[in-house]
Each structure stands twice: as C-alpha cells, then as structure tokens.
C-alpha cells in the first residue's frame, strides 16, 4: 500500500499535490470530487454510480486524516462523505488521464457539463 510522503493543498490553483518518494502527482479538487469513493457518488454496487457534473470550480476546504490509512476531504459544495484510502489515492494519481477521459466521455454522453453555470440542452429537429 503506497503511502504519500508529502501532501500539500494549493488553494489558489485548487490542486492537491501528492509525493510518493521522488514521484509527484497533482490532482485537481474537481477530479477528486467527481471521483469521490462515497456511496453518494459510487452508489452501492456496479451500475449505480451517480455522474457528478458542474464541479469545475469546487475547492477543498478541509483535509482530515482517517486513521493511518486514508484522508477525508471536505469540499466547498458540502460533500464530505468520501474516505480516500492510500490505495485509492495512488490509483487516482497513476490512472488520472484514463479516469479523466472516461469522466469527460460520460459527461458528453449525458449532455452535462463541468461548468456549474451551464446546463446542456439537446436540440431536436422537428423535421427529422
């Protein structure tokens, strides 16, 4: 189980920096929020995931250790129920590009957006 050797929140850029020895990763607050391991986001089983959208500007307001195995984040949208184990955080770091691209594809397919101020509208051609 890889444990970060350094954790630093950059509030201005809304990035969480994680170090694993000489490896360094940066995860955006938005990325962490939409990939929360909470039941509210992941559901209670396969196929029950709840797509998070409109989280582009979300920030982390607090980080709390959970035992010696995880972190709990409080986000400024009120979400605070996910427990991010060291293994899960490392997976988010090492699979960030694939996870992000998959998330963007799901947003597009659902006609949703990252922007909290914008809602997608699907136009229907009445002549079709």
């Amino acid at each position: 189980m890889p444990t970060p050797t350094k954790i630093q929140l950059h509030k201005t850029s809304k990035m969480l920096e994680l170090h694993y020895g000489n490896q360094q990763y940066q995860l955006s607050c938005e990325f962490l929020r939409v990939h929360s391991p909470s039941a509210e986001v992941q559901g209670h089983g396969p196929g029950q995931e709840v797509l998070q959208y409109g989280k582009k500007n979300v920030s982390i307001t607090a980080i709390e250790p959970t035992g010696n195995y995880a972190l709990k984040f409080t986000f400024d949208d009120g979400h605070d129920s996910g427990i991010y184990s060291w293994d899960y955080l490392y997976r988010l770091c090492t699979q960030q590009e694939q996870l992000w691209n998959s998330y963007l594809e799901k947003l597009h397919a659902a006609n949703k957006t990252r922007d909290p101020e914008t809602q997608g509208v699907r136009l229907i051609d009445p002549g079709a």
Side-chain angles (χ1 to χ4, degrees), residues 57-103:
N57 301 322
V58 76
S59 296
I60 293 172
T61 57
I63 301 174
E64 300 172 49
T66 302
N68 291 321
Y69 67 93
L71 294 176
K72 178 181 175 188
F73 301 116
T74 300
F75 294 89
D76 64 1
D77 67 353
H79 182 72
D80 68 353
S81 60
I83 304 294
Y84 295 74
S85 70
W86 297 140
D87 282 346
Y88 187 68
L89 278 171
Y90 190 70
R91 186 168 79 82
L92 291 179
C93 288
T94 59
Q95 297 177 16
Q96 182 177 6
E97 186 177 348
Q98 306 93 297
L99 291 167
W100 185 247
N101 288 336
S102 175
Y103 170 68

Side-chain angles (χ1 to χ4, degrees), residues 124-128:
I124 299 171
D125 181 356

Side-chain angles (χ1 to χ4, degrees), residues 28 30-32 34-35 95-107 114:
S28 71
E30 177 188 13
F31 179 80
L32 289 162
V34 302
H35 288 93
Q95 297 177 16
Q96 182 177 6
E97 186 177 348
Q98 306 93 297
L99 291 167
W100 185 247
N101 288 336
S102 175
Y103 170 68
L104 294 177
E105 289 170 10
K106 289 175 186 173
L107 273 183
R114 296 173 52 218

